[in-house]
Amino acid sequence: MRFGYWTPVFGGWLRNVEDEQTPLTWEHLKEIAQTAETIGYDLTLIPELYLNDIKGPSGPTFDAWATASALAASTDRLEILTAIRPSFHPVALTAKQIATIQAIAGNRLSINVVSAWWQEEARQYGIDFEDHDHRYAVTQEYVDVLTGLWRETPFTHHGRFFDFDDTSLEPKPEQRPVIYAGGESEAGRQAIANFADAYLVHGGTPQEVQAKIADLQRRRVEVGRQPFQHFGMAAYVIVRDTEAQAQAELERITRVQAGAAYDSYRDFVSKSQLDTQVSLHDYSVSNRGLRPNLIGTPVQVADRIRAFHEAGVDTLLIQASPVLPELQRIAEQVFPLVDRQG
């Protein structure tokens, strides 16, 4: 099992807690990353939104790609998994940017290709927001162009959405970034089976996650691709000395309050074509992070992590709050109880 954490570019992960003691400063993000790789984390996922989905659209957020470049230069071992939404990034310029950051990172950069879901954010930033299936069609060709530019010089491509003639991109990445993606709709899963190297899921039960993994593996065989390199899952983790203490913390963070933090709720549900209903309770943290139920004593949480590993998950992407002390607690109390070699 590989352990990763979400870089808190929104100032934390809780919609019902205003001050999570996770300041949105570069120094704090660097401290988290440097500590994380020292205590045994394998990767960090840097999400990308230009509006703050956690604290409300007027809240602060850092740019994912500036953060990725800085973390690449400030760490030695962490895989830097950075989200990218094709509609927000011109593809050839992005191929150049990624090649450069990959050189800075010493081949530790990977990308999480996200087809986007927040229509209001796109409107505010002057980005065209097409319908759901169209976004995935663009994404698939976008990845084809990225990998083509990293592979060939000169590069020529005439497709449905992109046209290039004799384009040069040098230097090439020494190692092509691993391409992660996640999606639950029919169009999303089929596109991902064609273009991604690894599959990410929102939090779910072991049975739900196992079914998704089996479905993607079947689709992978059907399109003649090699098996996925990784299957990752998002999860919010609460570890305490007793189960009662863990449940008390769960109650504290899920006291649903109406307000700015929920402005994107209906937009997210309506635009994402999720295959599992999201309640307001679930939405207290992002990406259905409470659904895996990684909440309890160190032994209880470790046992549940092993159940997900048996279901096919090899990469756990952790959210916790306050981020730094909770990541330290999880590493100290849970990591030793889980077989890191799988």
Side-chain angles (χ1 to χ4, degrees):
M1 179 67 75
R2 302 191 308 158
F3 287 97
Y5 74 94
W6 292 61
T7 292
V9 293
F10 310 128
W13 302 113
L14 302 178
R15 293 185 170 90
N16 298 310
V17 178
E18 185 174 346
D19 182 7
E20 297 185 51
Q21 302 172 35
T22 301
L24 183 55
T25 66
W26 160 240
E27 287 302 321
H28 191 55
L29 297 187
K30 180 172 69 172
E31 180 186 13
I32 293 170
Q34 292 177 338
T35 301
E37 71 173 0
T38 299
I39 62 179
Y41 286 86
D42 301 291
L43 70 158
T44 183
L45 170 60
I46 306 173
E48 181 184 58
L49 285 174
Y50 295 122
L51 299 180
N52 193 320
D53 175 45
I54 304 298
K55 304 302 181 184
S58 62
T61 180
F62 272 7
D63 175 75
W65 284 88
T67 302
S69 183
L71 288 181
S74 304
T75 56
D76 299 311
R77 188 181 61 81
L78 277 179
E79 178 182 345
I80 310 296
L81 171 56
T82 310
I84 184 167
R85 296 167 301 164
S87 58
F88 286 77
H89 298 270
V91 63
L93 303 184
T94 301
K96 169 64 77 173
Q97 182 182 22
I98 290 172
T100 303
I101 300 175
Q102 181 70 305
I104 295 169
N107 298 318
R108 291 179 292 122
L109 181 69
S110 52
I111 60 174
N112 177 28
V113 183
V114 183
S115 290
W117 57 266
W118 199 351
Q119 187 170 12
E120 172 61 14
E121 179 204 30
R123 185 196 68 78
Q124 288 193 26
Y125 277 79
I127 303 298
D128 291 337
F129 192 83
E130 303 291 347
D131 67 60
H132 177 275
D133 289 4
H134 183 277
R135 297 198 304 274
Y136 270 106
V138 170
T139 295
Q140 183 168 335
E141 188 175 335
Y142 188 96
V143 173
D144 288 344
V145 172
L146 281 181
T147 55
L149 286 164
W150 293 332
R151 184 181 62 246
E152 303 170 15
T153 292
F155 174 72
T156 296
H157 172 93
H158 300 294
R160 178 181 173 190
F161 304 108
F162 303 103
D163 281 289
F164 293 94
D165 279 302
D166 297 332
T167 301
S168 295
L169 188 149
E170 297 293 342
K172 307 292 188 193
E174 184 177 286
Q175 180 175 308
R176 182 176 74 75
V178 176
I179 297 169
Y180 294 71
E184 298 183 350
S185 67
E186 174 62 27
R189 294 188 197 204
Q190 196 57 41
I192 290 165
N194 279 281
F195 74 74
D197 304 311
Y199 182 55
L200 300 178
V201 299
H202 294 307
T205 66
Q207 295 76 20
E208 290 167 347
V209 172
Q210 186 175 40
K212 291 176 183 177
I213 290 173
D215 177 67
L216 263 294
Q217 292 287 42
R218 174 187 61 80
R219 294 172 189 263
R220 194 73 164 178
V221 171
E222 290 175 352
V223 298
R225 297 286 306 276
Q226 293 296 313
F228 284 105
Q229 295 180 29
H230 299 292
F231 286 99
M233 181 185 72
Y236 190 92
V237 180
I238 300 174
V239 176
R240 295 293 184 269
D241 293 337
T242 69
E243 187 174 5
Q245 291 172 340
Q247 290 299 318
E249 173 65 5
L250 176 63
E251 170 64 22
R252 182 185 75 88
I253 70 171
T254 56
R255 292 184 188 130
V256 174
Q257 303 170 19
Y262 290 100
D263 286 350
S264 63
Y265 172 68
R266 283 181 291 184
D267 203 13
F268 171 69
V269 172
S270 65
K271 299 300 190 300
S272 299
Q273 295 190 18
L274 302 176
D275 63 2
T276 302
Q277 182 64 39
V278 180
S279 69
L280 279 175
H281 177 279
D282 293 335
Y283 203 68
S284 297
V285 305
S286 72
N287 297 84
R288 292 204 299 267
L290 296 176
R291 195 168 179 82
N293 193 30
L294 298 185
I295 298 164
T297 67
V299 171
Q300 288 174 322
V301 171
D303 285 345
R304 290 166 188 158
I305 290 173
R306 282 193 289 271
F308 282 104
H309 187 266
E310 291 172 2
V313 174
D314 73 350
T315 303
L316 188 66
L317 296 167
I318 293 171
Q319 295 179 351
S321 180
V323 173
L324 183 55
E326 291 300 315
L327 291 181
Q328 291 171 312
R329 187 202 303 261
I330 293 162
E332 178 182 348
Q333 298 183 7
V334 178
F335 285 9
L337 304 178
V338 178
D339 179 6
R340 301 300 297 279
Q341 300 304 315

